[in-house]
Amino acid sequence: MLAAKSKVRIGGAAGFWGDSALGPRQLLDSGAVDYLVFDYLAELTMSLLAAARRKQPDLGYATDFIDVMRDVLGDALARGVRIVANAGGINPQGCAEALRALAAQQGLAPRIAVVEGDDVSALLPALRGEGLALPDAVLSANAYLGALPVKAALDAGADVVITGRCVDSAVTLGALMHEFGWAADDYDRLAAGSLAGHLIECGCQGSGGLFTDWEQVPDWANSGYPIVECNADGSFVLSKPEGSGGLVTPAVAAEQLLYEIGDPARYLLPDVVCDFTGVTLAQDGPQRVLVRGARGLAPTPTYKVSATYADGFRCAAQLTIVGHEAGRKARRSAEAILQRTRAMLSRAGLSDYSATHIDVLGAEEGFGQAVLWLAVAHPQRAALELFAREVAPAGTSWAPGTTGFGGRPSVSPAIKQFSFLLEKSRIQPIVHLPDGTQAQPAIPRGQISGDALPGAATSRGAPQAPVARADAIAHAGHTAHSTQAAYAKQFSRASTAVPRRTVALIELAWARSGDKGDTSNIGVIARDPADLPLLREQLTPQAVAAWLADKVHGSVTRYELPGIHAFNFVCEQALGGGGMASLHHDPLGKGMAQLLLAMPVDVPPNFTSRRT
């Protein structure tokens, strides 16, 4: 048996299905990686892949992966760089067959392993019989597998490992467990390896992409993809290829650390429950950040299962309105379209819309330009085909300056998510090894430790109560049209007893936001640790809920990460159902942090901006 390496270098080559082809080639040519890992599978990507396979049985995987491999597979094999990708989607074997065919065309013979077992569709009838209230038209149901099957594939000598649905960071953790010989109960190291995977799983987001201070990030056209240089003790350095664009600093790393993690003290993964509250980030030279301090607990006895199902149809239209009072004209146009089509639906014997949503983007109510976003939902496609035909008439019927109509909007199924917990004992991952044999890695059963998944049921059908948290509020019924008005009404600080002035939160903090279904996660990091008490006092859950009153219709929970001087706000019922079910123009919550950064905070009269 070969001795474990002292350092392993892993490059995050893709962060989603559709990411740039630049990443894999850039990382490979840098000579600075031992592994390329690819994360293609957002939750709703699974339903898209399921639809693709229904139309063509040999599809159902991330075809981008095969396109990328056409360019880099030969060089990766020649340089001994191994590849781990969750590109298999709902058809991992189909993905492997496509890669074998490509390799044969190029005269290559990679050792390919395939991980299956995440698809739990066959269990659904039994789960219904046990009382689990599943939706009727389930399109896909996949458990988030962990890193042990990836480790088993690499232990068997695979050059390429293709998985179906696994947790995003598992493609990295599996490689580290293989290289360093980490045991399944070495929880602190497993948490550290999971954090390394988390920082690179979204591609350029870990190396300057989406950074609050975007003007500080150079050379966007040549953005560097992230690399983690990992040590056997669990510490690691986040970096990027030398000479590439992008930016790697503690602030950049902190934004990505907070991305979509929920409770930072209990980030639930299949292999470990992570505690990131004590993580520290330190500059370790130009474009290098040293990461330490992740802690781990025993995993829970369940897998998260994400199911998708069809629930009617949705249609979204856009128009641009130019000129004086552009915003008001846009809103009146939307209301006219809805009034007209509702009357037409009634005459046709069709029911009213099940949901509608109006957003006016861009200019305020004065002179300028506004983009109207009008989205509707209905149980029947015919109703939305009628709606789609009635958008274009706005170009000649109503507001002066109406333009920017890009064609009749399309009607698509409304795909919604349903999550539940399933005992690990009911699933057995299978690894198809390069030599044609199979392995069934032993999966630790975990511990019962309050493994709550908000909004989820258990596989026994009983609701799982969330663990009580501090710094949380229930939604207080904010319905104001203007977030600024709602905030000012409830949180006016007009006292003259203490001199003060007001600045936008962005002057004191960095922030990033993302989604988990209908929940928006907003991470906020103090630019100067000395400002943390001020932020703690003013960035309460109540104040955040009031500022985001137009968006957030559920509870707001605040968590603190002392190691990086940060907070994470979990805002429920904030994305109109999220994903393909949402009628919002920002269904993934990417803009929520930007909205929060505009929130006013009180500062001393002598305050100077922390932005440099």
Side-chain angles (χ1 to χ4, degrees):
M1 181 176 178
L2 295 176
K5 293 181 180 178
S6 61
K7 188 182 297 291
V8 177
R9 306 165 302 170
I10 302 175
F16 62 98
W17 187 17
D19 205 348
S20 174
L22 170 69
R25 171 52 62 185
Q26 178 199 77
L27 290 167
L28 191 59
D29 287 350
S30 74
V33 296
D34 304 303
Y35 286 84
L36 292 177
V37 298
F38 298 77
D39 174 32
Y40 285 112
L41 301 181
E43 289 183 327
L44 288 176
T45 302
M46 301 299 288
S47 63
L48 297 176
L49 294 174
R53 193 176 189 186
R54 283 198 300 274
K55 294 179 181 178
Q56 191 170 335
D58 59 346
L59 292 180
Y61 58 87
T63 52
D64 284 10
F65 179 64
I66 305 302
D67 296 334
V68 168
M69 289 297 102
R70 184 172 288 107
D71 175 44
V72 303
L73 180 59
D75 287 345
L77 292 173
R79 300 175 192 182
V81 174
R82 302 170 85 173
I83 294 165
V84 185
N86 63 2
I90 65 162
N91 188 10
Q93 291 290 359
C95 184
E97 285 302 315
L99 184 60
R100 291 188 186 100
L102 171 64
Q105 293 171 7
Q106 297 183 340
L108 304 171
R111 294 169 293 182
I112 300 173
V114 179
V115 176
E116 293 185 307
D118 59 292
D119 187 348
V120 301
S121 299
L123 295 177
L124 297 184
L127 295 175
R128 289 184 194 277
E130 294 167 15
L132 182 61
L134 287 163
D136 293 331
V138 175
L139 301 174
S140 63
N142 296 82
Y144 283 70
L145 300 184
L148 287 171
V150 173
K151 175 185 182 296
L154 295 170
D155 289 348
D159 300 310
V160 181
V161 182
I162 296 172
T163 79
R165 176 74 269 188
C166 67
V167 69
D168 300 348
S169 56
V171 292
T172 296
L173 179 59
L176 295 175
M177 294 181 74
H178 162 71
E179 293 286 357
F180 293 139
W182 291 345
D185 60 355
D186 196 351
Y187 300 129
D188 285 350
R189 288 183 174 86
L190 298 189
S194 297
L195 178 56
H198 178 70
L199 292 185
I200 65 173
E201 70 192 26
C202 295
C204 288
Q205 281 188 204
S207 47
L210 307 191
F211 184 43
T212 299
D213 295 341
W214 56 272
E215 290 183 294
Q216 296 182 9
V217 182
D219 195 5
W220 282 9
N222 188 39
S223 290
Y225 278 68
I227 299 170
V228 283
E229 302 173 13
C230 303
N231 303 307
D233 66 359
S235 65
F236 62 91
V237 170
L238 176 68
S239 66
K240 63 184 184 66
E242 186 175 351
S244 65
L247 185 68
V248 178
T249 66
V252 169
E255 283 196 8
Q256 182 58 23
L257 186 159
L258 288 163
Y259 185 65
E260 299 181 345
I261 63 169
D263 182 351
R266 285 186 52 77
Y267 182 41
L268 304 182
L269 296 174
D271 302 294
V272 62
V273 174
C274 301
D275 180 355
F276 295 154
T277 57
V279 169
T280 61
L281 306 168
Q283 201 74 46
D284 190 52
Q287 309 297 335
R288 293 172 62 85
V289 171
L290 177 62
V291 183
R292 290 175 168 158
R295 301 296 300 272
L297 301 169
T300 66
T302 55
Y303 286 116
K304 173 185 175 181
V305 176
S306 180
T308 61
Y309 64 99
D311 185 16
F313 299 88
R314 62 189 295 275
C315 184
Q318 284 189 219
L319 290 171
T320 301
I321 293 90
V322 179
H324 188 67
E325 302 287 2
R328 290 180 58 207
K329 290 187 291 189
R331 190 168 295 278
R332 185 176 177 188
S333 295
E335 291 166 349
I337 293 171
L338 291 177
Q339 183 178 348
R340 171 182 286 184
T341 55
R342 278 178 163 136
M344 297 171 75
L345 291 176
S346 179
R347 288 196 299 272
L350 296 168
S351 62
D352 191 9
Y353 299 114
S354 54
T356 66
H357 187 78
I358 300 171
D359 273 317
V360 178
L361 316 174
E364 295 293 336
E365 302 299 315
F367 184 89
Q369 178 172 297
V371 176
L372 166 65
W373 171 276
L374 173 59
V376 295
H378 199 280
Q380 295 175 264
R381 178 183 287 272
L384 298 192
E385 296 289 0
L386 183 154
F387 165 84
R389 292 193 299 270
E390 292 300 320
V391 177
T396 57
S397 297
W398 303 314
T402 299
T403 183
F405 179 66
R408 182 177 294 181
S410 61
V411 178
S412 59
I415 307 299
K416 298 183 179 180
Q417 299 175 44
F418 177 84
S419 296
F420 60 95
L421 302 175
L422 187 64
E423 292 87 349
K424 289 177 178 174
S425 60
R426 303 184 72 157
I427 300 175
Q428 177 56 62
I430 298 174
V431 186
H432 301 269
L433 301 174
D435 64 2
T437 62
Q438 294 182 5
Q440 296 186 5
I443 307 298
R445 297 290 291 273
Q447 297 180 5
I448 299 175
S449 54
D451 55 328
L453 177 64
T458 70
S459 59
R460 293 177 295 276
Q464 186 91 9
V467 178
R469 303 294 183 198
D471 295 327
I473 65 161
H475 176 60
H478 306 301
T479 57
H481 174 63
S482 166
T483 56
Q484 289 84 354
Y487 179 84
K489 182 177 180 180
Q490 295 190 47
F491 293 93
S492 173
R493 296 185 177 88
S495 171
T496 58
V498 179
R500 56 97 182 178
R501 65 189 183 93
T502 298
V503 300
L505 176 61
I506 195 172
E507 302 297 331
L508 295 90
W510 299 285
R512 180 171 298 177
S513 55
D515 71 305
K516 288 292 182 186
D518 197 21
T519 297
S520 178
N521 294 257
I522 310 173
V524 178
I525 309 108
R527 293 176 183 268
D528 185 336
D531 293 328
L532 199 61
L534 182 153
L535 294 175
R536 185 182 296 111
E537 176 188 3
Q538 298 188 45
L539 242 62
T540 63
Q542 293 89 342
V544 169
W547 182 251
L548 299 176
D550 286 354
K551 305 294 183 183
V552 179
H553 304 289
S555 64
V556 175
T557 305
R558 183 180 74 178
Y559 302 101
E560 188 164 346
L561 293 85
I564 61 171
H565 320 294
F567 302 102
N568 195 40
F569 293 90
V570 178
C571 307
E572 298 182 23
Q573 298 177 42
L575 302 174
M580 292 176 62
S582 176
L583 301 184
H584 293 196
H585 76 281
D586 182 21
L588 303 182
K590 300 295 187 182
M592 294 290 282
Q594 301 303 302
L595 296 175
L596 187 58
L597 285 169
M599 176 178 164
V601 293
D602 293 344
V603 295
N606 62 349
F607 174 84
T608 57
S609 174
R610 310 311 188 195
R611 300 172 75 184
T612 57

